[in-house]
Amino acid sequence: MNTIVGLATSISNSAVNIIRISGNQSVNIIEKIFHTNTKSSLNPNEIKHGFIKYNEEVFDEVLVSFMKAPKSYTGEDVIEINCHGGILVTNKILNLVISLGAKLAEPGEFTKRAFLNGKIDLTKAEAIIDLIYAKSDLELKCAINQTTGKLYKKLNFIKEKIVNILSHVEVIIDFEDEVEDVYKSDIENDIIKIINEVQEILKYKDQGVLIKQGIKTCIVGKPNVGKSSLLNYLCNEKKAIVTDIPGTTRDIIEEKVDIGGIILNLFDTAGIRESSDVVESIGINMAKDKIKESDLIFFVLDLTRDLDEEDFRIYELIKDKNIIFLLNKCEEINMFDTNEIFTQFKNSNEDNLAKISIKENLGFDKLTNLIKDKFLLSDLSLNTESIILTNNRHTEAFNNCLECLNDSLKSLKDLMPLDIVSIDIRKALKYIMNITGEDINEVIVDNIFSKFCIGK
Ligand SMILES: Nc1nc2c(ncn2[C@@H]2O[C@H](COP(=O)(O)OP(=O)(O)OP(=O)(O)O)[C@@H](O)[C@H]2O)c(=O)[nH]1
Ligand SMILES: [Mg+2]
């Protein structure tokens, strides 16, 4: 494999930049350009002070470290040059290293080499991408769990169990006619145990998707209840126009916000009412479409006005969705109370309702808890023991594995020949090995690493 070079830090004017070189030419290249006053050469796991110099030109004063193969991130000889963080100086050193034979690294190429050299499995590599791009505490927690190898250990455990079942099945295949039912029932029990393990891992898959992609949340209500004020409050910025004129918002305004470590993809919509205004009506129809594709609806009601037909009509549009009722402007004189809400809107209850005041910053802790409870995220934020699948590739493979295990169990119960049973168990094993990258095609590997940033 050729030697690669990349910038491990971002290219901007900063205190320090780190240029990383990996491959069997790294030491050769650095020896040509690194000059130090000390007599000893660059030893593994040591940082040395000196200058980058070539053809009498001094490029920069630097610190250089050396990690010798296989004890490095990539498993190859790795050199890191800590240079000053100027864009020009960094680029000059980078180009110098390239001119001496290194190739500019592709995005993710360092980590891909770590994987190909057996330093990490694919789940850890993917966790590193997730860690870099995590947008919320919960997402970060899931990624860290995965980098520590929790998922990998579980996968190995399942793999071992499946291999055991498979050898058991194959040993008795040849003697099938004489095999006593007790052996078959042993196999059946073992398969059931693995099915339970896989189901346990898949338990929080929906939460995983929400943690990674955010909860699509549509703010809905009649005009002037405070929908845009809510969006602005939650994203801590004046993104949407707020006025006391009903019908202010027309377009849908989208913002990502973090509420208590959970990401919401928030949509502010036009207040829904009968309107003869062409532009407003288009906005209202867009709001109705957005409702359909949302995971959660914030139904905003205005406590300073009586409930009316407009509120009831909107409820008809959203009643089958996941709703949180937000009774806004609670710091003012309230024209109705929660009991009236419970009477008028049949899906409402204490667990999906909060009185809030955007003006006085009231009720938002309750709102955070309601969201967590609704999506079973409260347990997860406390319980770091659970494996939460946030990666679609893993979820899909586990689902396929489960299907194969169920098929094998069915064949066994239907008294099918054992080689049929073993085909499905083999397939299940393949899916597990697919997740760790032990059995995976090259195109998928390239695709995974292309999502990395440059220099990682
Ligand atoms: N007293 C009080 N007024 C509020 C509160 N939240 C919002 N308002 C006011 O309510 C009015 C309407 O706010 P908006 O956020 O524009 O309402 P909207 O629901 O987006 O209205 P449309 O875009 O017309 O559908 C503004 O005058 C806000 O200042 C609150 O908590 N208390
Ligand atoms: Mg608005």
Side-chain angles (χ1 to χ4, degrees):
M1 245 187 272
N2 46 17
T3 297
I4 50 171
V5 60
L7 189 59
T9 44
S10 69
I11 184 82
S12 59
N13 289 318
S14 53
V16 178
N17 270 330
I18 300 175
I19 293 167
R20 189 187 272 167
I21 314 169
S22 177
N24 56 15
Q25 286 307 303
S26 342
V27 177
N28 218 339
I29 293 173
I30 201 70
E31 278 175 348
K32 288 185 188 146
I33 60 173
F34 180 51
H35 298 263
T36 166
N37 291 333
T38 55
K39 294 213 169 58
S40 64
S41 57
L42 200 56
N43 296 314
N45 305 324
E46 209 179 66
I47 288 202
K48 267 209 151 85
H49 168 263
F51 292 86
I52 297 291
K53 216 163 112 183
Y54 193 65
N55 281 346
E56 298 312 311
E57 182 184 351
V58 177
F59 286 66
D60 195 9
E61 183 179 6
V62 295
L63 289 173
V64 169
S65 62
F66 171 35
M67 279 135 297
K68 192 170 168 49
K71 290 186 175 173
S72 70
Y73 181 65
T74 57
E76 304 171 332
D77 282 350
V78 171
I79 297 285
E80 283 186 5
I81 307 171
N82 288 245
C83 59
H84 286 101
I87 295 175
L88 190 60
V89 68
T90 308
N91 274 331
K92 280 188 82 164
I93 299 173
L94 208 52
N95 286 330
L96 176 64
V97 174
I98 291 170
S99 74
L100 293 172
K103 180 184 85 78
L104 190 63
E106 307 268 332
E109 199 169 353
F110 290 93
T111 312
K112 185 175 170 185
R113 287 186 176 202
F115 166 66
L116 294 175
N117 291 327
K119 297 293 289 185
I120 54 172
D121 80 300
L122 213 44
T123 62
K124 182 158 181 188
E126 287 167 311
I128 293 169
I129 325 179
D130 289 350
L131 194 141
I132 293 171
Y133 292 115
K135 298 171 293 302
S136 70
D137 272 1
L138 210 47
E139 199 182 344
L140 188 60
K141 214 178 258 182
C142 294
I144 290 171
N145 255 347
Q146 206 172 305
T147 53
T148 59
K150 195 171 268 179
L151 179 61
Y152 182 61
K153 279 187 201 130
K154 196 73 179 179
L155 281 160
N156 266 341
F157 171 81
I158 292 177
K159 185 177 119 187
E160 249 171 56
K161 295 278 175 207
I162 298 182
V163 169
N164 281 345
I165 299 174
L166 207 53
S167 15
H168 200 162
V169 171
E170 294 193 342
V171 164
I172 59 177
I173 269 178
D174 297 336
F175 310 101
E176 197 162 351
D177 294 342
E178 301 121 64
V179 168
E180 292 174 30
D181 285 348
V182 61
Y183 287 121
K184 288 196 177 168
S185 96
D186 275 356
I187 294 172
E188 203 173 302
N189 286 337
D190 287 346
I191 296 177
I192 291 171
K193 277 188 204 145
I194 297 295
I195 288 179
N196 290 341
E197 290 282 349
V198 176
Q199 276 171 338
E200 183 64 28
I201 296 174
L202 283 165
K203 193 165 141 194
Y204 293 118
K205 67 175 191 318
D206 295 341
Q207 282 78 4
V209 174
L210 293 177
I211 289 169
K212 185 98 179 249
Q213 294 173 5
I215 301 172
K216 273 192 196 169
T217 308
C218 196
I219 311 176
V220 177
K222 66 186 177 191
N224 231 18
V225 291
K227 299 180 295 300
S228 303
S229 308
L230 180 62
L231 177 103
N232 289 348
Y233 175 88
L234 292 176
C235 67
N236 216 358
E237 244 181 285
K238 282 195 175 145
K239 288 280 177 186
I241 301 171
V242 168
T243 71
D244 56 3
I245 305 161
T248 301
T249 305
R250 277 38 190 341
D251 268 335
I252 288 180
I253 300 168
E254 183 178 349
E255 273 305 312
K256 245 185 208 328
V257 303
D258 181 335
I259 298 193
I262 297 165
I263 297 295
L264 301 187
N265 298 319
L266 211 52
F267 304 103
D268 177 26
T269 60
I272 298 177
R273 63 171 170 182
E274 295 295 326
S275 168
S276 53
D277 182 302
V278 179
V279 182
E280 190 182 357
S281 300
I282 294 172
I284 292 170
N285 284 332
M286 281 161 66
K288 289 178 180 168
D289 288 342
K290 210 65 192 172
I291 290 169
K292 291 186 196 134
E293 61 178 71
S294 295
D295 305 309
L296 176 65
I297 305 289
F298 285 162
F299 183 22
V300 187
L301 297 155
D302 184 342
L303 279 164
T304 65
R305 290 181 273 164
D306 282 324
L307 293 173
D308 60 25
E309 274 309 311
E310 280 178 349
D311 297 310
F312 303 140
R313 266 201 295 271
I314 294 170
Y315 180 68
E316 286 305 309
L317 292 174
I318 59 174
K319 66 180 181 207
D320 296 326
K321 306 285 298 187
N322 232 334
I323 309 176
I324 291 183
F325 294 79
L326 292 176
L327 282 44
N328 188 29
K329 312 190 189 179
C330 72
E331 87 289 354
E332 299 271 358
I333 295 168
N334 294 184
M335 302 302 286
F336 57 90
D337 62 11
T338 45
N339 283 329
E340 194 169 344
I341 297 286
F342 299 151
T343 319
Q344 296 290 358
F345 305 110
K346 83 174 178 342
N347 293 345
S348 61
N349 54 55
E350 287 292 354
D351 297 327
N352 63 11
L353 176 147
K355 276 189 172 186
I356 57 166
S357 165
I358 299 163
K359 193 171 165 193
E360 300 288 334
N361 181 20
L362 298 171
F364 287 94
D365 286 345
K366 173 149 189 212
L367 173 60
T368 307
N369 291 333
L370 289 183
I371 300 169
K372 285 189 178 172
D373 288 347
K374 216 170 211 347
F375 293 96
L376 298 177
L377 293 168
S378 301
D379 294 355
L380 299 184
S381 19
L382 301 171
N383 178 9
T384 48
E385 289 313 303
S386 332
I387 289 176
I388 306 165
L389 296 179
T390 52
N391 183 309
N392 284 339
R393 191 182 75 81
H394 303 171
T395 308
E396 203 180 310
F398 273 117
N399 274 328
N400 288 331
C401 169
L402 189 63
E403 202 179 310
C404 296
L405 291 171
N406 278 322
D407 287 349
S408 69
L409 194 63
K410 185 169 180 305
S411 306
L412 207 57
K413 285 187 173 151
D414 292 347
L415 302 176
M416 301 285 273
L418 278 182
D419 34 12
I420 303 278
V421 178
S422 94
I423 289 174
D424 284 322
I425 301 178
R426 234 171 235 295
K427 273 204 230 159
L429 180 64
K430 217 170 151 52
Y431 283 120
I432 294 295
M433 289 168 67
N434 192 280
I435 301 177
T436 55
E438 285 167 274
D439 183 312
I440 194 161
N441 107 25
E442 208 178 307
V443 179
I444 300 178
V445 171
D446 287 346
N447 180 35
I448 289 170
F449 287 101
S450 68
K451 294 186 187 119
F452 268 67
C453 44
I454 288 177
K456 187 67 201 169

